[in-house]
Amino acid sequence: MAEQPTLWRIRKPQRAIPRGDKPNLRGMSREELGEFLGRELSAPAYRVDQVFGWIHQRRAPDFDAMTNLSKADRAKLRERASLDTLEVDTIQRARDGTRKLRLRTADGEAIESVLIPNDERGLTQCISSQVGCALDCRFCATASLGFRRNLDTWEIVDQVARARTLLAEEAEREGARWTPRITNIVYMGMGEPLHNFNQVRRSLSILTDAGGEAIAGRRITVSTSGLVPAIERFAREGLGEEVGLAISLNATTDAVRDEVMPINRKWKIDELLAAVRRVPTSRRRRVTFEYVLLGGVNDSDADAHRLIELVREFRCHVNVIPFNPHEHAPYRRPSQSRVRAFMAILRRSGVDVWLRTPRGDDIQAACGQLALDDPKTAAPPS
């Protein structure tokens, strides 16, 4: 009798998103904020621009800071709404300038966010969408945490605000002439973003709002391990025309992907690519395929040739990521010569391919390493 495939299910959260007695205005889109202010304060339409700007551009710590609102309106807002923020727990700095922020939620959960220096001026921030993760990708340290809960919209957005506040404070303390800018956002931290679709979608509307964080949609990328129904929704709702989509592929056969990424037991590679075909692309917007190279697992010449055949039809680029070792996974990073050989095959075929060099791996901040580990006790990079 043929061996039956192992059953696999997406993990359920251990708890729901906590809802306080008062709504947190940091998690409201401009439209939602306008409805709230109109209902609670009978505020005129222009008031939403003022409050939205105080929250996301000036990063007001409390309602008293909103000095162009009347005292009566500020008192009503204190009574009926919240401006809670995440707490910055620890900040770790890597040799290459990468910084990892450990942040605490109001209910005591910990998440991590990473600031990565760009080759040009500015920084890319890698943000989290869940506490832990609902999936079981075997190369990813976050899977070891289980799935605590989804992040609320304000908890996603506030990761950017806390990082920008930190950068401004550092610049002022050091007497710098300018504050480093966060120019790019990637939803590639802890969690599967498309598994928390509603909160992620709302956070995108806030982060891209010209009156808020004002980050261009073309500079934001949402990553997914292959949650096919959510990718189809991403395409159907037009998000592919607003922000980038990155597919964490990491294997060229179903047998290997079943093992490395158990989500493949539910949606095979063919089903995944069929969903990706429905995501609109343009000259300025391409799908990204991410491919973590695991030594002796998916890094052969044959894998490189199969990868070419899988992605050839798409307007895409491929990010090749040598595995970043950690104690939660049984894999190893391929040798530099193997990485070069793999890359050379892709380049000769005309595939638009980039090598993602490890950033922040000495503080467990590199791709796949976020697990709330103490960097002093974590496995060293090889």
Side-chain angles (χ1 to χ4, degrees):
M1 180 180 295
E3 183 178 352
Q4 296 298 311
T6 303
L7 293 176
W8 178 83
R9 292 183 177 87
I10 297 174
R11 293 173 177 171
K12 294 182 179 180
Q14 297 176 26
R15 56 184 302 194
I17 296 174
R19 304 294 187 190
D21 296 334
K22 305 174 185 178
N24 192 319
L25 300 191
R26 298 185 190 280
M28 290 187 184
S29 68
R30 180 186 292 272
E31 293 75 16
E32 291 166 337
L33 182 61
E35 292 173 2
F36 176 84
L37 294 177
R39 182 176 64 252
E40 299 295 330
L41 304 184
S42 299
Y46 68 83
R47 191 71 76 203
V48 65
D49 295 333
Q50 293 175 320
V51 176
F52 198 80
W54 275 112
I55 295 171
H56 299 293
Q57 289 189 332
R58 304 191 191 187
R59 285 180 278 286
D62 52 46
F63 293 112
D64 288 334
M66 300 180 182
T67 52
N68 57 355
L69 275 64
S70 69
K71 288 185 178 180
D73 281 349
R74 281 179 272 170
K76 288 180 181 177
L77 285 174
R78 278 196 302 274
E79 179 185 340
R80 304 175 189 182
S82 164
L83 279 180
D84 286 346
T85 66
L86 298 170
E87 177 188 349
V88 180
D89 188 353
T90 59
I91 303 168
Q92 297 161 356
R93 186 186 290 266
R95 291 186 296 265
D96 61 14
T98 297
R99 274 167 287 189
K100 182 168 70 171
L101 282 62
R102 183 168 300 175
L103 304 165
R104 290 282 174 184
T105 65
D107 60 338
E109 299 286 4
I111 57 173
E112 292 180 332
S113 184
V114 181
L115 286 169
I116 307 163
N118 294 337
D119 293 335
E120 303 174 356
R121 180 177 291 185
L123 300 138
T124 293
Q125 185 173 6
C126 177
I127 62 177
S128 295
S129 55
Q130 296 178 322
V131 183
C133 188
L135 308 183
D136 300 299
C137 301
R138 294 190 66 209
F139 57 85
C140 181
T142 306
S144 67
L145 299 174
F147 180 28
R148 295 286 295 167
R149 67 170 174 86
N150 285 318
L151 291 180
D152 204 352
T153 303
W154 76 266
E155 294 171 318
I156 299 173
V157 171
D158 200 50
Q159 292 173 61
V160 180
R162 291 313 100 212
R164 281 185 158 167
T165 298
L166 168 69
L167 293 170
E169 291 173 348
E170 286 183 350
E172 181 178 4
R173 189 164 55 247
E174 296 168 4
R177 295 179 59 186
W178 58 279
T179 299
R181 294 176 58 242
I182 296 172
T183 59
N184 298 72
I185 298 291
V186 291
Y187 286 71
M188 297 181 184
M190 298 169 66
E192 161 60 53
L194 295 190
H195 190 231
N196 191 14
F197 195 102
N198 291 335
Q199 312 300 331
V200 165
R201 197 191 203 302
R202 189 179 293 111
S203 72
L204 288 169
S205 72
I206 297 171
L207 292 174
T208 57
D209 193 296
E213 297 293 349
I215 299 169
R218 68 180 184 277
R219 293 186 174 274
I220 298 178
T221 301
V222 177
S223 179
T224 179
S225 60
L227 202 57
V228 166
I231 295 172
E232 293 170 341
R233 182 180 174 188
F234 185 95
R236 189 169 58 251
E237 297 188 8
L239 277 178
E241 298 172 352
E242 299 176 23
V243 300
L245 179 67
I247 305 297
S248 189
L249 187 57
N250 307 321
T252 60
T253 67
D254 283 325
V256 173
R257 200 165 190 270
D258 283 353
E259 179 64 23
V260 173
M261 302 181 71
I263 192 173
N264 199 73
R265 300 175 193 171
K266 193 169 185 69
W267 295 289
K268 300 298 186 183
I269 292 175
D270 284 348
E271 295 173 271
L272 171 59
L273 296 183
V276 175
R277 289 187 191 99
R278 291 190 276 275
V279 177
T281 58
S282 66
R283 291 179 61 185
R284 298 182 66 183
R285 173 73 65 215
R286 297 186 179 191
V287 171
T288 298
F289 287 99
E290 296 176 310
Y291 195 91
V292 177
L293 278 182
L294 306 169
V297 176
N298 64 354
D299 62 342
S300 68
D301 288 358
D303 281 304
H305 289 294
R306 283 192 295 265
L307 180 58
I308 292 165
E309 294 305 311
L310 289 174
V311 305
R312 188 190 297 277
E313 68 177 282
F314 296 96
R315 290 186 58 80
C316 70
H317 58 261
V318 175
N319 281 345
V320 172
I321 309 166
F323 173 65
N324 295 303
H326 54 83
E327 63 182 354
H328 304 287
Y331 304 113
R332 61 178 175 82
R333 182 180 294 170
S335 66
Q336 291 186 2
S337 61
R338 179 86 298 264
V339 173
R340 286 195 296 268
F342 193 92
M343 293 286 293
I345 293 172
L346 296 182
R347 285 174 173 153
R348 284 197 300 269
S349 74
V351 170
D352 186 7
V353 59
W354 299 87
L355 178 63
R356 179 104 61 88
T357 55
R359 304 296 297 269
D361 55 348
D362 56 316
I363 59 169
Q364 297 294 290
C367 180
Q369 290 185 325
L370 300 185
L372 306 175
D373 287 327
D374 182 345
K376 296 178 182 178
T377 60
S382 62

